[in-house]
Amino acid sequence: MKKKYWLIAGVLAVPLLTTAGVALSDGDNRHKSLLSWFTNTNPGIDPKTTQLYTDECGGCHFPYQPGLLPANSWEQIMGRLDDHFGENAELTESNRDAIRNFLLNNAAGRANYGLPNKIMAAQGDRSLPLRITEMRYFTYEHSELQPAMVRDNPEVGSFSNCDSCHQSAKQGLYDEHDVRIPGFGRWED
Ligand code: HEC
Ligand code: HEC
């Protein structure tokens, strides 16, 4: 009699565990993704603003999602657009204000979920750089990459070119299983 109960419990436990597993991984993916900014599913963001951002800040390089940097860094970047990493990236006042608000409202530390939270946690009380690529989280995650894959790779050139390796960067997905380094192929950890 006892044995039978165990058997039933076992049978029941399997689907329960599987459902829990699926639920967890779904949730995790959703939180990992910065997708909401660019698919208009974030109720707080006007799609016109994401379009403006992509047009104005995505012409010279990949349009970095706001959650990749803390508000303080975005504030400094937006305050010095006339001297933007050696380039002039000045905007009209109204475009600058709209983009500045968009970046600050959705910055790491303000957007409370997945990747932005991890970026803030990893930074601890270190000072805040202007570059995503100088944030502690970033340097830690990319520490295994060789210069031949990045700086000396003519198809990449710099870590700033997220989308040359992260195939779904434009959708805000940076999963390590979705990385293909030009000339080196798929990343196998
Ligand atoms: C005229 C070209 C140009 C425009 C327009 C431009 N940028 Fe840049 N941006 C650059 C250059 C050049 C760099 C340095 C890239 C490098 O070192 O490889 C840079 C770097 C950055 C970085 C640091 C990336 C890293 O390495 O972590 C951020 C963040 C950034 N830009 C944000 C913006 C924002 C926000 C806007 C719109 C307001 C913008 N950029 C518009 C040229 C531009
Ligand atoms: C030269 C190719 C390359 C470039 C350029 C690059 N990455 Fe990565 N990135 C990788 C690889 C490879 C990994 C996985 C590293 C590992 O697991 O050891 C990774 C990991 C990550 C992770 C962690 C993913 C996870 O599943 O934990 C994030 C987030 C990330 N990159 C964001 C960025 C952003 C944002 C940029 C641009 C500012 C960028 N990366 C530029 C290759 C690149």
Side-chain angles (χ1 to χ4, degrees):
M1 199 59 197
K2 235 180 179 179
K3 247 186 185 166
K4 234 182 192 169
Y5 276 122
W6 277 114
L7 202 76
I8 292 168
V11 169
L12 283 175
V14 172
L16 274 177
L17 280 175
T18 325
T19 328
V22 167
L24 273 178
S25 59
D26 268 351
D28 194 37
N29 272 339
R30 207 171 25 244
H31 289 293
K32 255 186 167 173
S33 164
L34 304 175
L35 191 64
S36 51
W37 288 312
F38 291 110
T39 51
N40 313 332
T41 51
N42 189 326
I45 297 174
D46 177 0
K48 277 197 238 115
T49 310
T50 40
Q51 192 55 52
L52 176 71
Y53 179 67
T54 312
D55 291 346
E56 298 293 349
C57 302
C60 299
H61 49 64
F62 173 73
Y64 309 110
Q65 285 89 357
L68 294 170
L69 269 181
N72 189 279
S73 304
W74 287 127
E75 179 97 69
Q76 299 207 35
I77 287 177
M78 294 309 289
R80 287 307 312 272
L81 286 179
D82 58 328
D83 181 14
H84 179 76
F85 302 94
E87 302 267 345
N88 185 339
E90 273 179 307
L91 297 168
T92 63
E93 201 177 317
S94 69
N95 283 352
R96 191 197 57 215
D97 290 349
I99 289 173
R100 183 178 166 279
N101 288 340
F102 165 69
L103 290 170
L104 295 188
N105 289 339
N106 299 287
R110 299 199 177 164
N112 181 23
Y113 63 91
L115 184 54
N117 283 350
K118 286 195 216 166
I119 290 173
M120 290 314 278
Q123 198 63 16
D125 52 14
R126 291 174 183 83
S127 64
L128 300 176
L130 286 186
R131 286 177 181 268
I132 297 156
T133 52
E134 285 172 7
M135 292 289 284
R136 168 72 182 145
Y137 177 83
F138 187 95
T139 55
Y140 178 80
E141 287 291 337
H142 297 87
S143 56
E144 283 177 32
L145 279 88
Q146 306 303 314
M149 298 170 169
V150 193
R151 193 192 59 208
D152 302 336
N153 186 340
E155 289 179 76
V156 180
S158 147
F159 269 124
S160 310
N161 301 320
C162 316
D163 56 338
S164 40
C165 302
H166 290 277
Q167 298 187 283
S168 309
K170 286 217 163 70
Q171 286 85 51
L173 289 166
Y174 293 98
D175 198 287
E176 63 181 275
H177 304 296
D178 206 12
V179 173
R180 204 191 63 81
I181 303 177
F184 292 83
R186 202 155 276 287
W187 179 259
E188 308 283 357
D189 215 2

